[in-house]
């Protein structure tokens, strides 16, 4: 079993739709949860991170963590064509992990006008 | 503004060649990483380094080695390139810390081994 499993998609939605991206993880020691966005032919860039269970909101984006279920989600409201990218969940064990991240497989999202 | 620069965007090498992928960061970060990215597999950690001359194996180190002689530079070496090493290679750096440190990525090197 992979440490982090991500719904692979691909996902294609119309502009304005609400998008839900999801990951599950197996190691309860994981502490920090991140979402990276990667545009075509670019490196990933950090979109959001959370530490505790609950929701964190940033504009149209909401990250949700449920540690009891080992489940993390990213919601995008009022999706735009500029949101078309690959979204990667990433988890950091913290402590002496030296910032090593464990990534999900990535979900390719296309928002069409 | 953090910048992680990988020396090449695209590389084509022959089977058996020794290949060097170079990465330089300009933010004095202690941690540096090499990942490879393949469709359906996401990013997988090859090697990382948390200090000059220090290196640690990641999840898939076989067929690779690394060098970190200076803090800002982290090199990935394919000792004898094989076709199954055709992939996108991503370098990243992050500051020292034991709690949530953001990793900054380079633009990637797409390596094709023929």
């Amino acid at each position: 079993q992979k440490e982090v499993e991500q719904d692979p998609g691909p996902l294609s939605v119309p502009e304005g739709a609400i998008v839900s991206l999801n990951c599950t993880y197996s190691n309860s020691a994981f502490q920090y949860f991140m979402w990276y966005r990667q545009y075509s032919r670019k490196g990933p860039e950090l979109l959001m991170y959370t530490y505790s269970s609950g929701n964190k909101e940033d504009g149209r984006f909401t990250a949700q963590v449920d540690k009891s279920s080992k489940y993390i989600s990213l919601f995008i409201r009022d999706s735009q064509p500029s949101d078309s990218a690959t979204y990667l969940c990433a988890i950091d064990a913290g402590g002496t992990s030296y910032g090593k991240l464990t990534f999900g497989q990535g979900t390719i999202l296309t928002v069409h006008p | 503004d953090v910048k992680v620069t990988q020396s090449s965007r695209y590389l084509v090498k022959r089977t058996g060649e020794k290949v060097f992928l170079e990465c330089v960061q300009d933010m004095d970060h202690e941690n540096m990483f090499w990942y490879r990215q393949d469709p359906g597999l996401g990013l997988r950690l090859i090697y990382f380094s948390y200090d000059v001359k220090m290196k640690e194996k990641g999840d898939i180190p076989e067929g690779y080695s690394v060098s970190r002689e200076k803090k800002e530079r982290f090199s990935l070496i394919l000792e004898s390139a094989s076709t199954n090493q055709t992939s996108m290679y991503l370098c990243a750096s992050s500051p020292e810390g034991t709690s949530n440190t953001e990793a900054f990525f380079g633009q990637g090197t797409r390596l094709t081994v023929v």
Side-chain angles (χ1 to χ4, degrees):
Chain A
Q1 181 191 6
K2 291 185 179 179
E3 286 192 294
V4 181
E5 294 273 5
Q6 182 172 357
D7 292 344
L11 209 53
S12 180
V13 301
E15 184 174 354
I18 296 174
V19 176
S20 172
L21 303 167
N22 307 293
C23 290
T24 58
Y25 63 95
S26 58
N27 188 344
S28 58
F30 286 144
Q31 298 185 40
Y32 303 97
F33 308 92
M34 286 154 267
W35 286 95
Y36 278 78
R37 178 175 60 194
Q38 184 178 23
Y39 290 115
S40 181
R41 292 185 291 277
K42 300 278 190 181
E45 55 182 0
L46 183 67
L47 187 60
M48 294 188 73
Y49 76 89
T50 54
Y51 169 65
S52 57
S53 282
N55 293 352
K56 183 174 181 178
E57 196 171 311
D58 183 3
R60 297 184 294 109
F61 298 88
T62 300
Q64 189 174 80
V65 175
D66 182 347
K67 284 189 173 181
S68 62
S69 302
K70 300 190 185 72
Y71 195 85
I72 61 175
S73 299
L74 178 71
F75 298 98
I76 307 173
R77 289 186 302 280
D78 187 26
S79 55
Q80 302 294 309
S82 58
D83 295 328
S84 298
T86 298
Y87 290 81
L88 299 145
C89 61
I91 302 181
D92 183 350
T96 57
S97 71
Y98 299 109
K100 287 187 299 178
L101 298 176
T102 302
F103 285 86
Q105 297 94 313
T107 302
I108 299 172
L109 171 67
T110 302
V111 181
H112 49 86
Chain B
D1 201 22
V2 175
K3 199 166 184 182
V4 179
T5 303
Q6 294 182 229
S7 54
S8 303
R9 290 296 303 273
Y10 301 96
L11 274 180
V12 180
K13 296 292 182 181
R14 294 194 181 277
T15 301
E17 276 193 79
K18 191 169 186 176
V19 181
F20 294 85
L21 303 183
E22 307 286 348
C23 175
V24 177
Q25 51 96 1
D26 66 1
M27 283 302 291
D28 202 35
H29 285 169
E30 284 74 19
N31 302 327
M32 295 190 75
F33 310 86
W34 275 106
Y35 293 88
R36 65 178 280 178
Q37 184 175 25
D38 301 288
L41 297 176
L43 275 73
R44 292 179 292 165
L45 182 64
I46 305 171
Y47 266 97
F48 71 101
S49 168
Y50 54 89
D51 202 351
V52 175
K53 296 192 186 295
M54 303 303 290
K55 59 186 179 184
E56 295 284 343
K57 292 180 180 179
D59 300 318
I60 51 164
E62 296 78 19
Y64 303 94
S65 62
V66 290
S67 172
R68 192 161 181 207
E69 296 297 318
K70 293 185 177 182
K71 191 175 186 180
E72 67 271 18
R73 186 179 297 269
F74 193 35
S75 302
L76 179 70
I77 303 154
L78 286 66
E79 297 290 343
S80 177
S82 63
T83 54
N84 63 12
Q85 292 178 309
T86 292
S87 186
M88 170 71 86
Y89 290 87
L90 289 160
C91 174
S93 73
S94 67
E96 181 182 23
T98 57
S99 63
N100 187 50
T101 54
E102 178 181 352
F104 294 87
F105 284 84
Q107 76 276 29
T109 296
R110 184 164 294 282
L111 172 68
T112 302
V113 182
V114 298

